[in-house]
Structures are given as structure tokens and as C-alpha cells.
Amino acid sequence: MKQMMLRLNVFKSEVFDAGFTRAMGYTSYSAASIGECFYAADFIKKHGETFAAWVAGWKETAMRAEELAVGFERDGNPAAAGRAYLRAWNYYRAAEFAVMPQGSQEQAGLYRDSIRCFDKGLEHAPFYSEKIAILYETTTLPGYFFKANAHDGAPRATVVLNGGGDGAGEEMFFIGGGPQALAYGFNLLVFHGPGQRGALHQDPNLYFRHDWEKVLGPVLDYCQARPDVDMARLGVYGISLGGFLVPRAAAFDKRIKAVAVNAILPNYFKHWMDEALEQVPGIFSGIFASRWKPFRKPSGTSCWIRWPGSGMMLALSFH
């Protein structure tokens, strides 16, 4: 991943650099402003480049953009309002992404703020959008259905965008080239499957699952029930982890007529093993350091330590 990622070196942290590039990447869709992004970066750097500073910086930038959007609406400028709302969505999203701990009320509030702005931005968009709920087991999965014209009821070729481990359906609309797809005459569906952000905010027990055909199946059922979807021309685009999940689903569900994948990583298992092995030495050195002082002995002696929370005993020799 590090070899594939272009560092802008705005921050010392690779994680912050990646998040900054991600947020600024929506500029071409009017969902980010380079100036506003650097305003957030300056705030974060002045406040210590911590996760708390990251959240606060993007939140303040989002609030400024939303305030602009409200003003544009009041002045009768819907196009400018729509763009400002989309920027606010993106900045709230960037803030929400880094809230610690995950699952907190603060994170849930920022997610609601981001969705509110996304929905307001779509109200002013030049295409048709519909917020949908897809039946899934005993609950529903949130999503959106898009088409170029609200009054066009003809069955059209349709693309389902399937995000990855850390993406959101709203984000997939831009990452997957949604505006271009609509311009080319396609319908588009984005959704949050179990384990993805919108589904987890709806129900934290909606975990990821390997048998993704059980997830895409209900999505395709929804498509099949719509008269404006041509099921003979239905494709699924899997991005990031979705690039691994979608081919498996297509192997089980023949309603998928075309598959495109952008998985980046040729071996997902190896990626996580490499990441784990890279992080483990630092994690364990910190744990040992925190427990070293109470058991410090003179050189040449040894002692046994029971590892907290387990039955494991460690023998330490002091030299």
C-alpha cells in the first residue's frame, strides 16, 4: 500500500496524508475545495496533528461550508447551495472517519450531519436521486438509486456500486464515477452492506460476512422489482474490498451480467498479515515497557511474570 500511495507530505502521519488526499480528491465533483481542505490541514497542524485535532479541523470546515450552503439557498442560488452542501458532506465524513472511540455518540452525530448535507446536496443536483431501503434478512440496508431523469421510466442498463471495508455508499457514488455513469445513460445504485459505515451506524450488529452473495442477492431483488431497471444489462462494480466480494457473489448469482473490480490488493490476506507483522513488534515493545518497571531486578537475576488476562507465564532474565 505504501508503494502505491502518493504522499503529499502535508502531515507527518501517512494516515493523515491519505485522509487528506481522499477528501481533496472530490474536488472535480464540486464536493471539495482545495482552499477549504488546506484550511482544515492548517487547523490540524496548529493543534498538534492528533486525531482530536483532525476531527475538530474537518468539523469546523464542514460547518463553514454548510453555513455557506444555507446562505446560497436563502439568496436563491440552488446550484451553489448544492455544491456547498456536498463539500460539507465530505468534510463531515472526513471528521467522522477518525473519531475515537469508534461507535461513540460523537461519531454517530457527525455521520448524521454528513448524510443530512449529502441529501440536501442531492436536492439541488441535475439528476434524479431516491433514498432507498433494501430488505435484508430481518432488517434493511440503506442506499440510493440514481437515474438521469426522474420522468424516464424506461428500463435502463444499471450499475450497482459495491464499496469496500471503510467506504460509504455516498462516497462510492463519486469514487465509482456516478455522475459520468448518469451522463452516459446508466442507472446507478449504491448501498451500505453489513459491516459498511451506514449499516453499522444503523445497527452495530450488522457485521461483515464472507458469503457476499447473501448480501448482493437482496440488492438484486430490489433492482428486479423496479420497472426502470433492465436486468439483462445489470453490472456490479466492486471497489477495494468490494473487488474481492463481488466476484464471489457473481459466481453464485447469474443475474449479474457484468463484473468490474478495482481491488488494488492482489492478495488481501497477505496485506493484513504484512500489516499485522509490521505493527506487532511496536505493540509488544510498548506493552513490555509498561510492565517492566515493577519487575526490574539487579543484573544476573531472573523472574517469572504472569501475563495479564491469560495463563501464560514469561521467564525474564536480567543481564
Side-chain angles (χ1 to χ4, degrees):
M1 286 294 288
K2 293 174 183 175
Q3 294 173 347
M4 291 184 280
M5 185 176 72
L6 176 65
R7 286 288 303 273
L8 295 180
N9 293 310
V10 174
F11 298 99
K12 297 174 185 176
S13 164
E14 289 182 8
V15 173
F16 280 13
D17 255 6
F20 180 78
T21 304
R22 182 172 181 165
M24 199 163 62
Y26 299 114
T27 302
S28 59
Y29 296 111
S30 299
S33 157
I34 292 175
E36 288 172 339
C37 288
F38 274 97
Y39 173 86
D42 185 61
F43 180 102
I44 295 162
K45 292 168 75 172
K46 286 179 177 176
H47 290 80
E49 293 194 25
T50 63
F51 279 109
W54 175 276
V55 173
W58 285 112
K59 182 179 179 179
E60 178 176 321
T61 309
M63 293 170 67
R64 285 170 171 261
E66 187 175 6
E67 185 178 348
L68 282 173
V70 172
F72 287 135
E73 279 185 321
R74 186 172 55 245
D75 295 339
N77 192 338
R83 290 191 291 268
Y85 274 123
L86 288 180
R87 298 201 310 273
W89 154 75
N90 184 22
Y91 306 150
Y92 278 126
R93 176 206 59 78
E96 177 266 339
F97 191 80
V99 172
M100 298 295 173
Q102 296 278 297
S104 66
Q105 287 301 311
E106 180 185 13
Q107 186 185 36
L110 286 169
Y111 182 76
R112 288 193 297 269
D113 291 337
S114 74
I115 297 303
R116 180 188 67 248
C117 290
F118 186 79
D119 291 346
K120 290 289 290 184
L122 291 181
E123 289 178 11
H124 302 295
F127 47 80
Y128 172 78
S129 63
E130 179 183 344
K131 208 162 187 174
I132 62 175
I134 299 166
L135 292 176
Y136 171 74
E137 295 186 341
T138 59
T139 183
T140 59
L141 301 175
Y144 294 84
F145 188 86
F146 301 91
K147 57 184 182 180
N149 190 322
H151 305 293
D152 180 10
R156 300 278 181 188
T158 300
V159 178
V160 175
L161 285 177
N162 196 134
D166 61 357
E170 299 77 30
E171 203 176 1
M172 291 304 108
F173 176 69
F174 297 108
I175 292 177
Q180 291 96 327
L182 295 172
Y184 295 153
F186 291 96
N187 295 333
L188 200 73
L189 185 148
V190 300
F191 72 101
H192 297 253
Q196 295 174 330
R197 304 194 81 73
L200 285 174
H201 277 292
Q202 178 179 296
D203 181 354
N205 293 313
L206 283 174
Y207 306 120
F208 263 112
R209 55 189 301 172
H210 73 282
D211 50 349
W212 204 248
E213 66 276 9
K214 300 292 179 61
V215 176
L216 264 183
V219 176
L220 300 182
D221 292 342
Y222 172 85
C223 291
Q224 200 163 6
R226 292 189 67 112
D228 51 2
V229 172
D230 182 355
M231 291 300 292
R233 295 187 295 161
L234 187 141
V236 184
Y237 180 21
I239 299 173
S240 192
L241 177 59
F244 291 86
L245 299 172
V246 166
R248 171 180 168 118
F252 288 89
D253 199 319
K254 302 308 178 186
R255 291 176 294 179
I256 301 175
K257 303 303 182 184
V259 170
V261 298
N262 183 1
I264 303 177
L265 301 170
N267 188 324
Y268 206 72
F269 174 78
K270 184 177 184 301
H271 163 66
W272 283 111
M273 288 302 297
D274 288 348
E275 284 291 315
L277 291 174
E278 181 179 323
Q279 298 298 326
V280 160
I283 293 171
F284 273 90
S285 64
I287 293 173
F288 274 111
S290 68
R291 289 164 172 78
W292 184 266
K293 189 173 181 180
F295 302 103
R296 192 168 290 165
K297 298 282 186 179
S299 177
T301 62
S302 62
C303 69
W304 288 88
I305 299 175
R306 180 179 296 278
W307 196 255
S310 76
M312 184 168 63
M313 297 289 290
L314 302 177
L316 299 181
S317 296
F318 300 85
H319 301 282

